[in-house]
């Protein structure tokens, strides 16, 4: 009995010590979203669990090694032990209950982070190699920085134009993979004003490590001010809007505007010209031709260029109005 009491006391002391040690390291950055609360709570349970089970095993091991060691002159064997039903039921039953409880806590925390607020503000996130772009549909502008009003749930509707990316803001504790050709949702309720960063957390190519964007959580008043400024400074001329879209969506990576040949055909002097397709037929590059080339790029491949190179998701990523702006811009390139 004496041994049990000593071991129990040592386990308590060791658990408290290890827990304090882990806490002192400070694994987590500041907590900046409502969803982070239940996630941090779960993480807290795990830290206690880690400290306790580590102590349980190590204390019994070290205590037995020292107290029950073989002393000088001892030559006999230990007492043979043949099964112990109570002990076996206990070490099967207790872990089972703990695991079921953890599963319940995990499910509850998942439900917590997925809770839908019907009045959430929608922000569309477009990911591509290697940047994020944030579109605010109710204001009709796009931004390279993510501005969010504090205390209001935001529904991030995310899509990718090329490969798998992942949206991760450590302070929000939430992470969501972004899948090409499909829209995935992530709901965040920022709870702390501050400047954070979204990091792509899915290896997505050469510049993956540089795929970050600023996240500003601001007061509602500051958000309204920022949105007003963005709306005011957004170009009104379709040609200029198209030019901005071409830069936001990375069109210039493949299409030059000075006549030089890149991965795709140049846009210079494209409008009104006659284009030879890979089956030898000729078409006139009018509005229809450009529209089809944007939303269904494989339908008409220009001779000398490979098929299946341009993302086939622009039809979904761009609104009809944005496509018209892009066409206006291409038209203007003499
Ligand atoms: Cu995008 Cu890594």
């Amino acid at each position: 009995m004496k041994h049990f009491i000593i071991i129990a006391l040592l386990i308590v002391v060791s658990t408290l010590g290890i827990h304090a040690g882990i806490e002192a390291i400070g694994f987590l950055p500041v907590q900046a979203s409502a969803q982070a609360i239940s996630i941090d709570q779960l993480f807290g349970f795990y830290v206690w669990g880690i400290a306790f089970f580590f102590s349980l095993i190590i204390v019994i091991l070290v205590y037995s090694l020292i107290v029950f060691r073989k002393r000088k002159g001892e030559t006999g064997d230990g007492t043979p032990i043949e099964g112990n039903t109570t002990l076996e039921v206990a070490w099967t039953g207790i872990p089972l209950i703990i695991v079921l409880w953890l599963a319940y806590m995990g499910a509850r925390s998942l439900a917590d982070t997925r809770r839908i607020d019907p009045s959430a503000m929608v922000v569309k996130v477009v990911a591509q190699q290697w940047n994020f772009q944030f579109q605010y549909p109710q204001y009709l502008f796009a931004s390279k920085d993510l501005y969010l009003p504090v205390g209001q749930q935001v529904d991030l509707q995310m899509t990718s134009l090329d490969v798998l990316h992942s949206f991760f803001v450590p302070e929000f504790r939430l992470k969501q993979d972004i899948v090409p050709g499909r829209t995935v949702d992530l709901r965040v309720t920022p709870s702390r004003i501050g400047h954070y960063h979204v990091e792509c957390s899915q290896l997505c190519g050469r510049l993956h490590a540089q795929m970050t964007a600023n996240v500003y959580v601001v007061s509602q008043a500051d958000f309204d001010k920022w949105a007003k400024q963005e709306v005011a400074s957004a170009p009104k001329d379709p040609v200029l809007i198209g030019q901005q879209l071409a830069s936001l969506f990375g069109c210039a990576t493949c299409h030059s505007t000075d006549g030089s040949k890149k991965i795709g055909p140049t846009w210079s002097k494209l409008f009104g010209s006659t284009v030879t397709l890979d089956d030898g037929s000729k078409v006139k590059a009018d509005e229809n031709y450009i529209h089809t080339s944007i939303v269904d790029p494989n339908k008409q491949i220009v001779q000398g260029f490979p098929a299946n190179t341009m993302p086939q998701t622009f039809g979904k990523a761009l609104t009809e109005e944005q496509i018209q702006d892009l066409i206006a811009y291409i038209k203007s390139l003499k």
Side-chain angles (χ1 to χ4, degrees):
M1 197 60 200
K2 189 190 82 183
H3 293 305
F4 280 114
I5 294 169
I6 297 172
I7 286 178
L9 281 174
L10 286 175
I11 289 175
V12 170
V13 171
S14 163
T15 303
L16 291 173
I18 290 171
H19 184 267
I22 296 177
E23 288 287 285
I25 294 171
F27 281 116
L28 299 174
V30 292
Q31 192 185 71
S33 81
Q35 287 76 10
I37 296 169
S38 64
I39 292 170
D40 284 2
Q41 209 176 42
L42 208 56
F43 189 76
F45 286 136
Y46 280 111
V47 172
W48 276 114
I50 289 163
F52 171 71
F53 285 108
F54 181 82
S55 306
L56 182 71
I57 293 163
I58 298 300
V59 165
I60 295 177
L61 179 79
V62 173
Y63 189 85
S64 305
L65 280 174
I66 296 168
V67 178
F68 304 118
R69 71 184 182 278
K70 190 173 177 179
R71 285 160 217 275
K72 249 193 186 137
E74 263 181 7
T75 50
D77 280 338
T79 335
I81 299 169
E82 174 77 50
N84 184 330
T85 313
T86 320
L87 197 59
E88 283 164 21
V89 168
W91 80 38
T92 311
I94 295 172
L96 182 71
I97 293 167
I98 294 176
V99 168
L100 287 175
W101 179 72
L102 283 176
Y104 164 74
M105 293 302 291
R108 210 183 64 164
S109 151
L110 189 65
D112 250 9
T113 58
R114 295 274 170 92
R115 193 155 295 143
I116 292 172
D117 176 355
S119 64
M121 177 178 85
V122 173
V123 176
K124 293 190 172 187
V125 180
V126 180
Q128 62 175 316
Q129 287 166 324
W130 289 274
N131 62 62
F132 290 101
Q133 190 215 112
F134 307 100
Q135 300 176 353
Y136 290 78
Q138 70 271 55
Y139 301 104
L140 288 171
F141 67 77
S143 164
K144 292 247 179 232
D145 299 323
L146 178 60
Y147 271 77
L148 298 172
V150 72
Q152 194 197 330
Q153 188 179 83
V154 56
D155 177 11
L156 298 167
Q157 300 180 353
M158 311 196 280
T159 192
S160 163
L161 296 182
D162 36 48
V163 298
L164 277 178
H165 299 278
S166 188
F167 181 98
F168 179 41
V169 179
E171 290 81 2
F172 292 165
R173 306 286 192 275
L174 298 171
K175 189 191 275 191
Q176 173 64 53
D177 276 3
I178 309 178
V179 186
R182 131 149 61 122
T183 303
V184 287
D185 270 289
L186 181 68
R187 288 175 182 270
V188 190
T189 314
S191 60
R192 187 178 176 278
I193 289 178
H195 176 199
Y196 314 106
H197 289 95
V198 45
E199 297 163 11
C200 176
S201 57
Q202 188 73 261
L203 184 61
C204 58
R206 192 165 47 89
L207 296 181
H208 156 73
Q210 291 173 26
M211 188 166 165
T212 63
N214 291 310
V215 179
Y216 297 100
V217 176
V218 295
S219 68
Q220 185 68 50
D222 284 349
F223 179 82
D224 292 340
K225 213 167 87 188
W226 171 77
K228 221 170 135 185
Q229 263 170 19
E230 289 291 305
V231 171
S233 65
K236 302 280 174 289
D237 179 2
V239 172
L240 289 176
I241 299 175
Q243 184 175 18
Q244 199 182 51
L245 287 168
S247 135
L248 276 170
F249 282 91
C251 306
T253 314
C254 301
H255 301 283
S256 77
T257 53
D258 61 1
S260 62
K261 190 180 165 173
K262 285 187 164 177
I263 298 162
T266 182
W267 284 355
S268 168
K269 300 190 179 72
L270 170 65
F271 190 81
S273 68
T274 305
V275 177
T276 311
L277 301 183
D278 60 354
D279 61 0
S281 63
K282 289 184 192 306
V283 289
K284 193 169 175 336
D286 56 8
E287 281 95 348
N288 270 333
Y289 165 81
I290 296 172
H291 194 282
T292 310
S293 297
I294 293 171
V295 301
D296 191 4
N298 272 344
K299 201 164 172 190
Q300 35 193 17
I301 300 296
V302 178
Q303 203 167 56
F305 292 94
N308 284 318
T309 307
M310 178 156 149
Q312 298 178 44
T313 44
F314 285 119
K316 279 194 189 133
L318 295 160
T319 64
E320 184 52 39
E321 211 180 338
Q322 289 174 319
I323 295 174
Q324 291 306 328
D325 293 336
L326 269 174
I327 294 174
Y329 171 54
I330 293 169
K331 261 169 129 171
S332 76
L333 294 165
K334 300 288 175 223

